[in-house]
Every structure is written in structure tokens, then in C-alpha cells.
């Protein structure tokens, strides 16, 4: 399971078959770009599914899907990310391995072409050993993360090469309005942006979540973990997701005083004993675009979920599908 600041991604696997699910953020998507967003989700899903069907590693499949999203100027991740008040690209990315519970993340990094690849390296190295009682880091930020990634052989680039024409246009438009205000939205914190846990035995289930939206809101509610634990503790994941979004997010005491709570998630619950599961998505933003593909099927699917304007930030829509692998 992998997550990126806006383009976040999740995956579940069973004997080379599985379900891959991605999203391109919970926010306000242009209807004129709807088909392009949905096509992008499908391309990412097909890439991950091909890796799974060939017997590839689950984490590799998720990261490769994320890289496709990071490389697209359509998303606010990697190339095309929203710019800081100084006009720079600073990306966050995080991944969590549900089988080992290992986590890796980078924050405010601008010189790595694909931040999710750095997060993956950090996650994988958690099982290694260092001399003199030292412990591998799980979260690196800023220039230190860039230097570490370069030393590990990741593709680095100049900050300017990550700025898309679209992002620059948006930056110039809004900078005139917010010269005195900087709002940093970072959700690559443990338990907030991603959460994953594989089944530990019968009749246990696996779960994976990936969130999106306003980083401060996600962090205050530790939303990814709250959703995962809520879904696992209920026989009805749809009801559980609605309850968490309402009680632990929309009505969270940690978010008291905010007129709108802006967030979204995709979540998978899977029973390896019964080979069935649920893919769910929910958001309190105006829209959320998701894509998914079962490796037993030939084509991925994608859709835009919409919440009516008066309810944005005050209610959350919950949708989903059941699947068998």
C-alpha cells in the first residue's frame, strides 16, 4: 500500500491475484478534465495489475502505479505538484507494508523525481540491521531526504523540472491572494495518510486505507488508522466507514471550530479465507476520482464521486463495491 500527498494508492493481493485501487485526490475536480483523470487512474491500475498477474511483489505494484500518477501533470503529486509560497515543489509520500507493518515516508522533498520510490526504500530497509544499536529512519524530510535518495541511486532532478505549466499558472493566480498566508498540508505522518495490516490468521481480515484532503485535518484525526480499525471491528465495512467519517472526522473534537472538514479515503477490507472483500471510498470534499482493477478482469474501472455543494465539508458520502479474487 502506498500513499502520496494527493495521489494516494492501495493494494491487496492473494496468490498473484488481487485488487488494485487508486485515487487522484479528494478535492474539487474540473468536469472538463474528468475523462482524463479517469483514464489516468485506469492506466495506473493496469500497470499495477500487470505486475501482480506476473507474480510480482505487491509493494512494487503499488509504487509503480503511484509513479504513473506522480509523473502526470494532472495530479498534485510529483511533477505538477502545487507550489509553496516561495514557488518551489515540496512533495510528501508514504508507504506501509501490511505484511510486515513497516512504514516509510518522506516530507517536503523537492529534488527526487518520484518521492514514493524514496518512501518505499525507507520502508524496505526497516528490516535491516545497523551497528552500534543504531536504528534506520522511517521518515526523512527536506534536503536530507534528497541527499539520502541520491546516495541510494534514486533519480534526482532540479526543482524547476517538477513544475508544470498548470501548477505555475495556479501558483501565480493564488499568490496574489495569499501573500500573507502559508498553509502547509502534510499528511505523510504515521497513521494519517496510509495504514495497512495483513490478516494474522483465521478468521482475521486484511485492511488497507489511503487518505487525501487537507493534511492538518487528516493528522488531527489520524484518519487512515481510525478508518482501518473501524472497518476491521465491524461486520459491515460500509456502516463502519460512515461512522468513522462522521464521528471521528466531521464531528471530531480535535477539529472543533472548523467550518469545513475536508478529507477523503479509499479502503479495502479482504478476507483471505473466503476470497472476498470490499472496496470503499468516502469523501467530504466536492469530488473524488477513484480507479480500481481486479486482476481477474480484463479492464480497470474508474469514476468520479460527487458531493452536493451545501454539504461539502459537513457531510461525507460513502460508496463502494464488493469483489472476489
Amino acid at each position: 500500500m502506498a500513499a502520496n500527498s494527493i495521489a494516494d494508492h492501495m493494494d491487496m493481493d492473494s496468490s498473484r491475484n488481487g485488487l488494485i485501487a487508486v485515487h487522484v485526490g479528494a478535492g474539487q475536480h474540473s468536469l472538463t478534465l474528468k475523462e482524463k483523470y479517469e483514464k489516468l487512474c485506469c492506466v495506473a491500475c493496469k500497470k499495477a495489475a500487470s505486475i501482480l498477474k506476473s507474480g510480482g511483489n505487491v509493494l512494487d505494484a503499488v509504487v509503480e502505479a503511484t509513479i504513473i500518477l506522480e509523473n502526470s501533470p494532472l495530479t498534485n503529486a510529483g511533477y505538477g505538484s502545487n507550489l509553496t509560497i516561495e514557488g518551489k515543489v515540496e512533495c510528501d509520500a508514504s508507504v506501509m507494508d501490511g505484511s510486515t507493518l513497516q512504514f516509510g515516508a518522506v516530507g517536503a522533498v523537492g529534488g527526487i523525481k518520484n518521492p514514493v520510490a524514496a518512501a518505499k526504500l525507507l520502508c524496505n530497509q526497516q528490516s535491516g540491521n545497523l551497528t552500534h544499536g543504531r536504528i534506520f529512519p522511517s521518515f526523512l524530510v527536506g534536503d536530507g531526504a534528497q541527499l539520502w535518495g541520491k546516495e541510494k541511486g534514486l533519480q534526482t532532478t532540479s526543482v524547476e523540472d517538477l513544475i508544470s505549466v498548470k501548477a505555475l499558472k495556479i501558483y501565480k493566480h493564488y499568490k496574489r491572494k495569499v501573500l500573507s498566508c502559508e498553509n502547509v498540508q502534510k499528511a505523510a505522518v504515521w497513521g494519517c495518510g496510509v495504514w495497512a495490516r495483513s490478516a494474522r490468521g483465521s478468521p482475521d481480515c486484511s485492511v488497507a486505507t489511503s487518505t487525501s484532503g487537507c493534511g492538518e485535518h487528516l493528522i488531527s484525526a489520524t484518519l487512515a488508522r481510525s478508518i482501518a480499525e473501524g472497518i476491521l471491528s465491524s461486520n459491515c465495512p460500509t456502516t463502519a466507514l460512515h461512522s468513522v467519517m462522521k464521528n471521528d472526522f466531521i464531528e471530531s473534537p480535535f477539529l472543533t471550530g472548523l467550518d469545513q472538514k475536508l478529507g477523503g479515503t479509499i479502503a479495502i477490507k479482504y478476507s483471505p479465507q473466503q476470497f472476498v472483500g470490499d472496496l470503499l471510498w468516502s469523501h467530504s470534499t466536492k469530488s473524488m476520482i477513484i480507479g480500481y482493477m481486479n486482476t481477474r478482469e480484463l479492464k480497470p474501472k474508474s469514476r468520479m464521486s460527487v458531493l452536493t455543494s451545501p454539504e461539502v465539508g459537513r457531510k461525507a458520502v460513502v460508496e463502494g463495491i464488493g469483489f472476489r479474487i
Side-chain angles (χ1 to χ4, degrees):
M1 197 259 307
N4 191 288
S5 52
I6 293 296
D8 304 311
H9 316 273
M10 309 188 329
D11 185 282
M12 199 70 68
D13 172 81
S14 175
S15 301
R16 296 187 180 183
N17 289 311
L19 182 83
I20 175 71
V22 305
H23 69 77
V24 289
Q28 183 172 334
H29 299 87
S30 168
L31 290 177
T32 60
L33 295 175
K34 177 178 178 290
E35 291 186 5
K36 290 184 177 180
Y37 281 123
E38 292 178 341
K39 182 178 179 180
L40 177 62
C41 286
C42 288
V43 171
C45 286
K46 288 179 69 174
K47 176 64 175 181
S50 68
I51 294 174
L52 292 179
K53 288 191 286 187
S54 64
N57 179 275
V58 176
L59 195 58
D60 289 343
V62 173
V63 170
E64 289 302 316
T66 306
I67 286 175
I68 288 176
L69 300 180
E70 286 182 336
N71 288 344
S72 172
L74 289 172
T75 68
N76 177 23
Y79 176 70
S81 293
N82 287 343
L83 307 184
T84 67
I85 196 70
E86 293 84 12
K88 298 179 181 180
V89 170
E90 293 182 353
C91 297
D92 300 338
S94 59
V95 298
M96 186 170 179
D97 189 331
S99 62
T100 63
L101 302 185
Q102 293 174 181
F103 172 85
V106 293
V109 59
I112 296 178
K113 187 175 187 295
N114 294 112
V116 72
K120 175 191 170 186
L121 280 179
L122 284 166
C123 179
N124 284 336
Q125 76 172 14
Q126 298 304 305
S127 58
N129 295 311
L130 289 173
T131 60
H132 306 296
R134 293 177 297 159
I135 300 174
F136 279 111
S138 61
F139 196 170
L140 293 176
V141 299
D143 294 340
Q146 180 182 353
L147 179 60
W148 178 87
K150 185 175 182 179
E151 291 175 348
K152 295 295 183 180
L154 294 179
Q155 184 177 353
T156 57
T157 184
S158 68
V159 175
E160 290 74 21
D161 287 340
L162 294 175
I163 300 176
S164 68
V165 174
K166 175 185 174 183
L168 185 59
K169 182 179 180 180
I170 293 173
Y171 166 74
K172 290 180 178 179
H173 173 74
Y174 282 103
K175 185 178 180 180
R176 295 192 295 268
K177 299 183 178 181
V178 293
L179 285 177
S180 61
C181 176
E182 181 177 8
N183 186 19
V184 180
Q185 299 184 354
K186 187 181 296 182
V189 181
W190 186 83
C192 302
V194 298
W195 191 260
R197 200 206 73 173
S198 295
R200 293 293 188 260
S202 180
D204 205 1
C205 291
S206 297
V207 66
T209 62
S210 174
T211 63
S212 174
C214 177
E216 284 79 6
H217 298 179
L218 305 180
I219 291 170
S220 297
T222 56
L223 191 58
R225 184 175 182 178
S226 297
I227 289 172
E229 292 180 343
I231 289 175
L232 278 180
S233 64
S234 173
N235 291 326
C236 180
T238 303
T239 301
L241 178 56
H242 181 271
S243 177
V244 173
M245 289 295 291
K246 178 179 182 293
N247 299 324
D248 298 334
F249 189 64
I250 301 296
E251 298 178 1
S252 169
F254 299 103
L255 297 174
T256 299
L258 294 177
D259 183 51
Q260 293 184 323
K261 288 86 169 182
L262 303 173
T265 186
I266 52 177
I268 291 177
K269 182 180 182 181
Y270 175 68
S271 170
Q273 289 77 35
Q274 299 177 339
F275 304 104
V276 296
D278 294 276
L279 166 63
L280 305 170
W281 54 92
S282 176
H283 59 98
S284 62
T285 56
K286 184 174 182 180
S287 61
M288 186 172 188
I289 298 179
I290 62 102
Y292 57 92
M293 183 176 180
N294 192 324
T295 55
R296 293 186 179 276
E297 300 175 350
L298 297 178
K299 295 182 179 180
K301 299 176 182 178
S302 63
R303 61 159 295 157
M304 175 187 280
S305 175
V306 178
L307 185 63
T308 56
S309 295
E311 297 178 332
V312 170
R314 299 177 180 87
K315 291 186 178 181
V317 61
V318 177
E319 300 173 342
I321 62 161
F323 64 89
R324 177 179 291 274
I325 57 176

